[in-house]
Amino acid sequence: MKKFGLIGNPIAHSKSPALFSAGYHLQGDCIEEFRYDLIEAESCAAAMERFSNEGYSGINVTSPFKEEVMSYVAHPDRVSTLLGAANVVINRPDGLYSYNTDYYGVYNTIAERLTNLKGEALVIGGGGAGKAAALALSDLGMQTTLANRTPAKVAPFCSKIGVNCIELKEIAPAIERAKVVVYALMMPIEELQPNMLLSKILLEANYAHPNYSISPATEAPYRYIGGLEWLINQAIPAFKLFTSLTPDAKAMRELF
């Protein structure tokens, strides 16, 4: 049996085990071939000790361990290297490999919906999700700007991947120029009002408590993509890395 799991703290609320089970049509969280556990620990070191000692083949990584886990990795991929953070770690005979599929949560979500990727994109929020979004949009070929309350904190990252960096108070003209806006903050901000998003695509990271969602029955001024698409589109490549099998995305979406 191959064992997988999630490390982080707190993670009791996580939907990862349910997503994994739905994706592979498991009864509960365990069948003969696969098992998925929550590995909650007070520290990244304690979590990685369990990962190593208890025979896990791969783990998802969530807050607050995404950056610290990189110190255990021998073979980081391009995306996790640029982001300095991983949400997937695979145990192979020659060492640990890291990936960051948050990037694909944005990359695949936008690529599925836009045939013409020329133009500008704005990412609001410079945390881990925002950085993953900025890298994904830039790789898609969009002229990307990352807005953060404190631009100095993200300026080195922006310079490294070749995207613009601005303060939140400067987002109004950036929104006006943008075709795609990604909102990667947990709370709404005064600087962004829904009427500013006319004719835009808005992708929001927060699927549990969205800030700018709209009713399907509402004639909205913008095209809203909820965080569920981001969640599913990052989970699919993560689970494929674990098992080499493609999970059932339809079954995963039906959990919500």
Side-chain angles (χ1 to χ4, degrees), residues 40-76:
E40 186 163 329
E42 289 298 319
S43 67
C44 186
M48 292 304 290
E49 183 175 4
R50 284 191 58 188
F51 172 58
S52 176
N53 293 342
E54 296 179 19
Y56 286 92
S57 298
I59 47 170
N60 291 124
V61 186
T62 191
S63 180
F65 301 153
K66 288 185 178 183
E67 295 182 358
E68 188 176 351
V69 78
M70 293 294 289
S71 65
Y72 295 86
V73 171
H75 307 283

Side-chain angles (χ1 to χ4, degrees), residues 202-226:
L202 175 67
L203 170 60
E204 184 169 10
N206 190 343
Y207 70 91
H209 304 288
N211 300 290
Y212 293 95
S213 63
I214 51 180
S215 167
T218 303
E219 188 174 341
Y222 54 94
R223 183 179 176 187
Y224 181 80
I225 306 172

Side-chain angles (χ1 to χ4, degrees), residues 163-238:
V163 305
N164 300 319
C165 178
I166 62 172
E167 295 184 54
L168 287 183
K169 66 182 181 181
E170 300 174 318
I171 64 172
I175 291 174
E176 187 173 349
R177 296 190 304 269
K179 178 186 294 186
V180 174
V181 177
V182 176
Y183 194 78
L185 295 174
M186 294 301 294
M187 303 295 290
I189 56 173
E190 293 181 3
E191 293 88 347
L192 177 62
Q193 298 299 320
N195 60 8
M196 299 168 67
L197 295 166
L198 180 65
S199 302
K200 310 298 180 185
I201 292 176
L202 175 67
L203 170 60
E204 184 169 10
N206 190 343
Y207 70 91
H209 304 288
N211 300 290
Y212 293 95
S213 63
I214 51 180
S215 167
T218 303
E219 188 174 341
Y222 54 94
R223 183 179 176 187
Y224 181 80
I225 306 172
L228 175 59
E229 288 305 303
W230 189 328
L231 176 69
I232 298 299
N233 278 331
Q234 67 81 25
I236 291 170

Side-chain angles (χ1 to χ4, degrees), residues 120-124 134 143-147 158 163-166 174 177:
E120 295 192 30
L122 172 67
V123 178
I124 301 172
Q143 185 179 336
T144 304
T145 297
L146 177 60
C158 291
V163 305
N164 300 319
C165 178
I166 62 172
R177 296 190 304 269

Side-chain angles (χ1 to χ4, degrees), residues 3-8 11 16 20 35-40 44 46-52 54-62 65 69-70 72-73 86-91 96-101 234 238-239 241-242:
K3 294 169 58 178
F4 308 103
L6 171 72
I7 68 168
I11 55 173
S16 290
F20 188 88
R35 170 175 161 178
Y36 193 101
D37 301 321
L38 293 177
I39 309 170
E40 186 163 329
C44 186
M48 292 304 290
E49 183 175 4
R50 284 191 58 188
F51 172 58
S52 176
E54 296 179 19
Y56 286 92
S57 298
I59 47 170
N60 291 124
V61 186
T62 191
F65 301 153
V69 78
M70 293 294 289
Y72 295 86
V73 171
N87 73 336
V88 175
V89 174
I90 305 294
N91 188 5
L96 300 184
Y97 286 69
S98 67
Y99 307 87
N100 194 311
T101 65
Q234 67 81 25
F239 295 160
L241 284 165
F242 286 162

